[in-house]
PDB file of all heavy atoms in Angstrom:
ATOM      1  N   GLY V 110      61.114 127.935 -17.549  1.00 98.00           N
ATOM      2  CA  GLY V 110      62.044 128.560 -18.474  1.00 98.00           C
ATOM      3  C   GLY V 110      62.437 129.961 -18.044  1.00 98.00           C
ATOM      4  O   GLY V 110      63.609 130.350 -18.150  1.00 98.00           O
ATOM      5  N   ASN V 111      61.470 130.724 -17.537  1.00 97.00           N
ATOM      6  CA  ASN V 111      61.758 132.089 -17.095  1.00 97.00           C
ATOM      7  C   ASN V 111      62.727 132.102 -15.912  1.00 97.00           C
ATOM      8  O   ASN V 111      63.643 132.935 -15.848  1.00 97.00           O
ATOM      9  CB  ASN V 111      60.471 132.811 -16.712  1.00 97.00           C
ATOM     10  CG  ASN V 111      59.612 133.171 -17.904  1.00 97.00           C
ATOM     11  OD1 ASN V 111      60.094 133.229 -19.037  1.00 97.00           O
ATOM     12  ND2 ASN V 111      58.337 133.414 -17.674  1.00 97.00           N
ATOM     13  N   ILE V 112      62.519 131.200 -14.950  1.00 98.00           N
ATOM     14  CA  ILE V 112      63.409 131.135 -13.785  1.00 98.00           C
ATOM     15  C   ILE V 112      64.806 130.690 -14.205  1.00 98.00           C
ATOM     16  O   ILE V 112      65.816 131.257 -13.763  1.00 98.00           O
ATOM     17  CB  ILE V 112      62.831 130.204 -12.703  1.00 98.00           C
ATOM     18  CG1 ILE V 112      61.522 130.784 -12.155  1.00 98.00           C
ATOM     19  CG2 ILE V 112      63.830 129.979 -11.567  1.00 98.00           C
ATOM     20  CD1 ILE V 112      60.772 129.858 -11.223  1.00 98.00           C
ATOM     21  N   ASN V 113      64.876 129.701 -15.076  1.00 98.00           N
ATOM     22  CA  ASN V 113      66.183 129.240 -15.551  1.00 98.00           C
ATOM     23  C   ASN V 113      66.900 130.336 -16.339  1.00 98.00           C
ATOM     24  O   ASN V 113      68.123 130.505 -16.232  1.00 98.00           O
ATOM     25  CB  ASN V 113      66.020 127.983 -16.400  1.00 98.00           C
ATOM     26  CG  ASN V 113      65.602 126.774 -15.577  1.00 98.00           C
ATOM     27  OD1 ASN V 113      65.744 126.775 -14.354  1.00 98.00           O
ATOM     28  ND2 ASN V 113      65.081 125.759 -16.231  1.00 98.00           N
ATOM     29  N   LYS V 114      66.144 131.100 -17.120  1.00 97.00           N
ATOM     30  CA  LYS V 114      66.722 132.222 -17.874  1.00 97.00           C
ATOM     31  C   LYS V 114      67.293 133.272 -16.937  1.00 97.00           C
ATOM     32  O   LYS V 114      68.306 133.917 -17.239  1.00 97.00           O
ATOM     33  CB  LYS V 114      65.653 132.849 -18.772  1.00 97.00           C
ATOM     34  CG  LYS V 114      66.160 133.972 -19.657  1.00 97.00           C
ATOM     35  CD  LYS V 114      65.030 134.530 -20.525  1.00 97.00           C
ATOM     36  CE  LYS V 114      65.527 135.685 -21.379  1.00 97.00           C
ATOM     37  NZ  LYS V 114      64.410 136.253 -22.207  1.00 97.00           N
ATOM     38  N   ALA V 115      66.643 133.438 -15.764  1.00 97.00           N
ATOM     39  CA  ALA V 115      67.106 134.415 -14.783  1.00 97.00           C
ATOM     40  C   ALA V 115      68.307 133.924 -13.979  1.00 97.00           C
ATOM     41  O   ALA V 115      68.835 134.653 -13.135  1.00 97.00           O
ATOM     42  CB  ALA V 115      65.964 134.784 -13.830  1.00 97.00           C
ATOM     43  N   GLY V 116      68.737 132.679 -14.236  1.00 97.00           N
ATOM     44  CA  GLY V 116      69.900 132.134 -13.550  1.00 97.00           C
ATOM     45  C   GLY V 116      69.589 131.122 -12.477  1.00 97.00           C
ATOM     46  O   GLY V 116      70.489 130.644 -11.778  1.00 97.00           O
ATOM     47  N   GLY V 117      68.308 130.777 -12.321  1.00 97.00           N
ATOM     48  CA  GLY V 117      67.924 129.790 -11.328  1.00 97.00           C
ATOM     49  C   GLY V 117      67.978 128.376 -11.875  1.00 97.00           C
ATOM     50  O   GLY V 117      68.342 128.145 -13.037  1.00 97.00           O
ATOM     51  N   LYS V 118      67.580 127.416 -11.041  1.00 97.00           N
ATOM     52  CA  LYS V 118      67.515 126.003 -11.434  1.00 97.00           C
ATOM     53  C   LYS V 118      66.120 125.496 -11.057  1.00 97.00           C
ATOM     54  O   LYS V 118      65.908 124.994  -9.954  1.00 97.00           O
ATOM     55  CB  LYS V 118      68.594 125.190 -10.731  1.00 97.00           C
ATOM     56  CG  LYS V 118      70.023 125.529 -11.139  1.00 97.00           C
ATOM     57  CD  LYS V 118      71.033 124.880 -10.204  1.00 97.00           C
ATOM     58  CE  LYS V 118      70.893 123.356 -10.169  1.00 97.00           C
ATOM     59  NZ  LYS V 118      71.897 122.729  -9.256  1.00 97.00           N
ATOM     60  N   ALA V 119      65.177 125.658 -11.964  1.00 98.00           N
ATOM     61  CA  ALA V 119      63.795 125.286 -11.688  1.00 98.00           C
ATOM     62  C   ALA V 119      63.453 123.942 -12.306  1.00 98.00           C
ATOM     63  O   ALA V 119      63.972 123.587 -13.370  1.00 98.00           O
ATOM     64  CB  ALA V 119      62.845 126.357 -12.212  1.00 98.00           C
ATOM     65  N   VAL V 120      62.571 123.212 -11.646  1.00 97.00           N
ATOM     66  CA  VAL V 120      62.085 121.923 -12.135  1.00 97.00           C
ATOM     67  C   VAL V 120      60.562 121.931 -12.076  1.00 97.00           C
ATOM     68  O   VAL V 120      59.985 122.228 -11.026  1.00 97.00           O
ATOM     69  CB  VAL V 120      62.632 120.745 -11.302  1.00 97.00           C
ATOM     70  CG1 VAL V 120      61.993 119.436 -11.741  1.00 97.00           C
ATOM     71  CG2 VAL V 120      64.135 120.657 -11.423  1.00 97.00           C
ATOM     72  N   GLY V 121      59.904 121.623 -13.184  1.00 97.00           N
ATOM     73  CA  GLY V 121      58.457 121.616 -13.236  1.00 97.00           C
ATOM     74  C   GLY V 121      57.866 120.288 -12.799  1.00 97.00           C
ATOM     75  O   GLY V 121      58.374 119.226 -13.171  1.00 97.00           O
ATOM     76  N   LEU V 122      56.796 120.359 -12.019  1.00 97.00           N
ATOM     77  CA  LEU V 122      56.115 119.171 -11.505  1.00 97.00           C
ATOM     78  C   LEU V 122      54.612 119.353 -11.617  1.00 97.00           C
ATOM     79  O   LEU V 122      54.108 120.474 -11.592  1.00 97.00           O
ATOM     80  CB  LEU V 122      56.449 118.942 -10.025  1.00 97.00           C
ATOM     81  CG  LEU V 122      57.900 118.803  -9.604  1.00 97.00           C
ATOM     82  CD1 LEU V 122      57.992 118.893  -8.094  1.00 97.00           C
ATOM     83  CD2 LEU V 122      58.474 117.488 -10.097  1.00 97.00           C
ATOM     84  N   SER V 123      53.903 118.233 -11.713  1.00 95.00           N
ATOM     85  CA  SER V 123      52.467 118.239 -11.432  1.00 95.00           C
ATOM     86  C   SER V 123      52.257 117.368 -10.212  1.00 95.00           C
ATOM     87  O   SER V 123      53.205 116.740  -9.712  1.00 95.00           O
ATOM     88  CB  SER V 123      51.660 117.694 -12.621  1.00 95.00           C
ATOM     89  OG  SER V 123      51.696 116.276 -12.649  1.00 95.00           O
ATOM     90  N   GLY V 124      51.039 117.310  -9.725  1.00 92.00           N
ATOM     91  CA  GLY V 124      50.763 116.505  -8.547  1.00 92.00           C
ATOM     92  C   GLY V 124      50.974 115.015  -8.752  1.00 92.00           C
ATOM     93  O   GLY V 124      51.072 114.258  -7.784  1.00 92.00           O
ATOM     94  N   LYS V 125      51.066 114.589 -10.013  1.00 92.00           N
ATOM     95  CA  LYS V 125      51.307 113.186 -10.304  1.00 92.00           C
ATOM     96  C   LYS V 125      52.761 112.780 -10.061  1.00 92.00           C
ATOM     97  O   LYS V 125      53.053 111.619  -9.786  1.00 92.00           O
ATOM     98  CB  LYS V 125      50.953 112.883 -11.764  1.00 92.00           C
ATOM     99  CG  LYS V 125      49.476 112.936 -12.083  1.00 92.00           C
ATOM    100  CD  LYS V 125      49.243 112.565 -13.538  1.00 92.00           C
ATOM    101  CE  LYS V 125      47.765 112.485 -13.884  1.00 92.00           C
ATOM    102  NZ  LYS V 125      47.540 112.113 -15.286  1.00 92.00           N
ATOM    103  N   ASP V 126      53.673 113.724 -10.189  1.00 93.00           N
ATOM    104  CA  ASP V 126      55.104 113.417 -10.091  1.00 93.00           C
ATOM    105  C   ASP V 126      55.490 113.063  -8.662  1.00 93.00           C
ATOM    106  O   ASP V 126      55.302 113.853  -7.732  1.00 93.00           O
ATOM    107  CB  ASP V 126      55.929 114.614 -10.572  1.00 93.00           C
ATOM    108  CG  ASP V 126      55.729 114.889 -12.053  1.00 93.00           C
ATOM    109  OD1 ASP V 126      55.912 113.952 -12.852  1.00 93.00           O
ATOM    110  OD2 ASP V 126      55.377 116.023 -12.407  1.00 93.00           O
ATOM    111  N   GLY V 127      56.032 111.876  -8.501  1.00 91.00           N
ATOM    112  CA  GLY V 127      56.443 111.433  -7.179  1.00 91.00           C
ATOM    113  C   GLY V 127      55.290 111.283  -6.205  1.00 91.00           C
ATOM    114  O   GLY V 127      55.499 111.285  -4.994  1.00 91.00           O
TER     115      GLY V 127
END
Side-chain angles (χ1 to χ4, degrees):
N111 288 340
I112 295 172
N113 290 342
K114 183 180 178 181
K118 293 169 58 180
V120 174
L122 303 168
S123 79
K125 290 182 175 181
D126 294 306

